[in-house]
């Protein structure tokens, strides 16, 4: 019943010409794919990619957003600016933002609430580091990130939220969580949503897996009941790898 959601995060890659060519190829090759699809180019290519994707089945996403609509925020991008460029989804709380740029749960929560208030969809990323996994703290870490990240979000707003479980040790490393490992955490994530919002909302929540998703492991992951999609980094930069992921069939 949950529509699978495959999203590509291009991170800090692609100038405008490269982004345009990639978006054009994806638009052509992914036409007719029944899953929900999104790509998030860097800010500098949003306008270019947005123009290409007009009228396609691929949503335009952004990789981050300021916790304010305007004002003295040097170097930041407002949700209004994103909407002006045709962005409909924003990735928040990515582990690279949390760990390399010091984003706290409180800051991420401000962004989540503002994005939803402004009518953007949110992909809220959660996930543990290797150290936390080895200390058996996975569930505790994910629970804190979710509870803090979703503070003040109403049940009505939750339909515009996707949770992406991304174990930090699996991002960009080539190490994917096994379907069993991922499914165990996805089951916990759904239980946390049930705890916060009730069983019906938990049932509807789309939970993506992220961390070295590739054409050869996507089917095993998506075959699990609680894994509803993927947030793809490295493999989203080429049609040869993103197209087969986006076209996965259970
Ligand atoms: P990866 O990145 O697919 O390159 O591991 C995933 C992500 O950071 O969302």
């Amino acid at each position: 019943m949950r529509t699978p959601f495959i999203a590509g995060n291009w991170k800090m890659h692609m100038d405008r010409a490269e982004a345009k060519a990639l978006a054009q190829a994806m638009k052509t090759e992914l036409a007719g794919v029944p899953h929900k699809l999104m790509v998030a180019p860097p800010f500098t290519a949003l306008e270019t990619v947005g123009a290409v994707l007009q009228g396609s089945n691929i949503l335009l996403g952004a990789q981050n957003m300021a916790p304010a609509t305007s004002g003295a925020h040097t170097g930041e991008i407002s949700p209004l600016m994103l909407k002006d460029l045709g962005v409909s989804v924003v990735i928040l709380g990515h582990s690279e933002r949390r760990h390399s740029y010091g984003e706290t749960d409180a800051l991420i929560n401000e962004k989540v609430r503002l994005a939803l208030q402004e009518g953007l969809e949110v992909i809220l990323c959660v996930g543990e580091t290797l150290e936390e996994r080895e200390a058996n703290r996975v569930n505790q870490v994910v629970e804190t990130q979710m509870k803090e990240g979703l503070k003040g979000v109403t049940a009505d707003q939750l339909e515009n939220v996707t949770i992406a479980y991304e174990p930090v040790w699996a991002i960009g490393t080539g190490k994917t969580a096994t379907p069993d490992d991922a499914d165990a955490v996805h089951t916990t994530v759904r239980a946390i949503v049930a705890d916060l919002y009730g069983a019906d909302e938990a049932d509807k929540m789309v939970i993506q897996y992220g961390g070295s998703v590739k054409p050869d492991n996507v089917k095993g992951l998506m075959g699990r009941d609680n894994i509803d999609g993927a947030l793809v980094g490295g493999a989203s930069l080429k049609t040869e790898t993103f197209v087969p992921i986006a076209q996965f069939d259970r």
Side-chain angles (χ1 to χ4, degrees):
M1 330 141 285
R2 294 183 292 266
T3 302
F5 183 11
I6 303 289
N9 173 7
W10 295 0
K11 305 193 179 179
M12 200 171 71
H13 297 288
M14 305 276 159
D15 62 22
R16 285 174 301 161
E18 291 164 336
K20 185 176 181 178
L22 183 59
Q24 273 165 340
M26 286 186 179
K27 180 178 177 172
T28 308
E29 295 191 38
L30 295 175
V33 169
H35 311 317
K36 179 172 172 179
L37 303 174
M38 181 209 86
V39 295
F43 291 128
T44 47
L46 280 173
E47 186 167 13
T48 304
V49 171
V52 173
L53 296 183
Q54 278 225 350
S56 78
N57 57 337
I58 307 172
L59 299 169
L60 184 65
Q63 300 173 20
N64 187 24
M65 187 196 94
T69 51
S70 70
H73 296 276
T74 302
E76 291 289 328
I77 307 285
S78 139
L80 304 184
M81 296 167 180
L82 296 179
K83 288 199 292 183
D84 185 42
L85 292 170
V87 167
S88 58
V89 187
V90 61
I91 299 169
L92 295 173
H94 191 280
S95 66
E96 285 151 18
R97 302 291 326 162
R98 291 179 188 266
H99 298 290
S100 305
Y101 295 93
E103 291 201 5
T104 61
D105 284 322
L107 175 65
I108 293 161
N109 176 246
E110 272 187 71
K111 296 183 182 192
V112 168
R113 280 184 291 135
L114 181 61
L116 293 171
Q117 194 182 306
E118 290 301 333
L120 290 166
E121 278 187 50
V122 168
I123 297 177
L124 173 63
C125 305
V126 300
E128 81 287 356
T129 61
L130 186 57
E131 223 178 18
E132 289 162 342
R133 173 161 283 258
E134 285 171 349
N136 281 323
R137 294 185 49 228
V138 179
N139 291 355
Q140 185 194 332
V141 167
V142 166
E143 183 169 355
T144 303
Q145 290 174 338
M146 284 179 60
K147 284 192 168 157
E148 297 296 317
L150 293 172
K151 230 178 220 170
V153 173
T154 66
D156 282 350
Q157 290 176 320
L158 206 63
E159 68 178 299
N160 287 322
V161 176
T162 297
I163 304 287
Y165 168 60
E166 300 204 300
V168 179
W169 48 270
I171 296 178
T173 58
K175 285 186 207 155
T176 321
T178 63
D180 280 348
D181 284 343
D183 195 46
V185 185
H186 281 235
T187 305
T188 302
V189 167
R190 202 172 301 287
I192 297 166
V193 178
D195 196 33
L196 294 172
Y197 294 95
D200 286 356
E201 295 304 327
D203 234 24
K204 287 188 257 169
M205 176 59 69
V206 172
I207 308 171
Q208 296 175 320
Y209 169 79
S212 299
V213 175
K214 304 274 185 289
D216 62 3
N217 60 28
V218 68
K219 199 179 162 89
L221 289 160
M222 298 309 134
R224 298 306 173 105
D225 283 354
N226 280 312
I227 305 183
D228 309 312
L231 181 54
V232 186
S236 73
L237 296 171
K238 289 188 176 144
T239 48
E240 299 92 278
T241 43
F242 192 63
V243 169
I245 292 172
Q247 287 173 330
F248 86 86
D249 188 359
R250 286 185 171 118

